[in-house]
């Protein structure tokens, strides 16, 4: 019984010590946004999931979109309510305007997807609508590993701002390398012979 009491007291003291270590300090990572997968947000009964900028192929440097380009978005929008809603616009301070191509209605208990080759939501929700969503006339470089604000506006649920990450490339662009020096071979024997380069 005495051992349990001592163990409990030690654990409690350790917890207090660890809790107090950062008292009054702001963690360096408190304001950072993770870019593992897409971003998520909610407006009323509308859930925005897996929102991210996508692009095809390797890119020179880290800018996946340059000023003047049109940027493609990937997103899954779930309507948890019973009444239908509609995505009526998409905008961002880093773009001139937004474009939605297709039927952007989201019936109750249904899903709207954009940017997938084969909408993932259709695996579990066969009645999911699919549209194309783009930001037009990008005004600043969109870089891999960064997040950018995008506002999705719904007819009934209103606006929701999402910090949308840029999809990380599956293959990094080739990097210039200095050619490796040819290895020289030494053979030992009665005489030291160096093989010419």
């Amino acid at each position: 019984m005495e051992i349990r009491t001592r163990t409990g007291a030690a654990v409690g003291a350790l917890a207090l010590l660890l809790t107090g270590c950062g008292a009054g300090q702001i963690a360096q990572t408190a304001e950072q946004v993770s870019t593992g997968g897409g971003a998520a947000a909610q407006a009323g009964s509308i859930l925005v999931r897996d929102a991210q900028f996508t692009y095809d192929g390797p890119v020179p440097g880290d800018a996946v979109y340059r000023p003047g380009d049109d940027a493609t978005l990937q997103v899954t929008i779930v309507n948890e309510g019973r009444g239908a809603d509609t995505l009526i616009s998409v905008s961002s301070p880093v773009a001139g305007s937004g474009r939605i191509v297709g039927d952007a209605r989201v019936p109750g208990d249904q899903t709207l997807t954009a940017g997938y080759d084969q909408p993932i939501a259709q695996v579990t929700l066969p009645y999911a609508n699919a549209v194309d969503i783009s930001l037009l006339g990008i005004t600043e470089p969109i870089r891999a590993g960064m997040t950018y604000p995008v506002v999705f506006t719904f007819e009934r649920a209103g606006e929701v701002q999402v910090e949308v990450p840029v999809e990380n490339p599956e293959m990094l662009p080739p990097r210039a390398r200095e050619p490796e020096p040819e290895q020289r071979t030494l053979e030992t024997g009665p005489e030291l012979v160096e093989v010419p380069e």
Side-chain angles (χ1 to χ4, degrees), residues 55-164:
Y55 55 93
D56 295 326
V59 293
D62 63 347
V64 298
Y65 292 108
R66 299 189 179 284
D69 289 348
D70 297 339
T72 305
L73 293 176
Q74 171 183 297
V75 66
T76 295
I77 297 167
V78 180
N79 184 353
E80 288 192 324
R82 293 188 178 185
D85 207 338
T86 303
L87 176 65
I88 57 174
S89 72
V90 61
S91 62
S92 174
V94 298
S97 61
R99 178 176 59 203
I100 303 167
V101 178
D103 183 358
R105 287 178 297 166
V106 194
D109 295 321
Q110 295 297 322
T111 303
L112 177 71
T113 63
Y116 299 98
D117 290 334
Q118 295 178 340
I120 294 172
Q122 288 186 357
V123 174
T124 55
L125 299 170
Y127 301 109
N129 285 341
V131 296
D132 291 319
I133 300 176
S134 302
L135 293 175
L136 309 179
I138 295 299
T139 58
E140 64 181 71
I142 302 296
R143 302 184 187 283
M146 302 294 289
T147 62
Y148 299 87
V150 176
V151 177
F152 295 88
T153 304
F154 297 89
E155 187 173 46
R156 293 180 60 194
E159 292 184 355
V160 59
Q161 180 171 309
V162 186
E163 287 297 320
V164 178

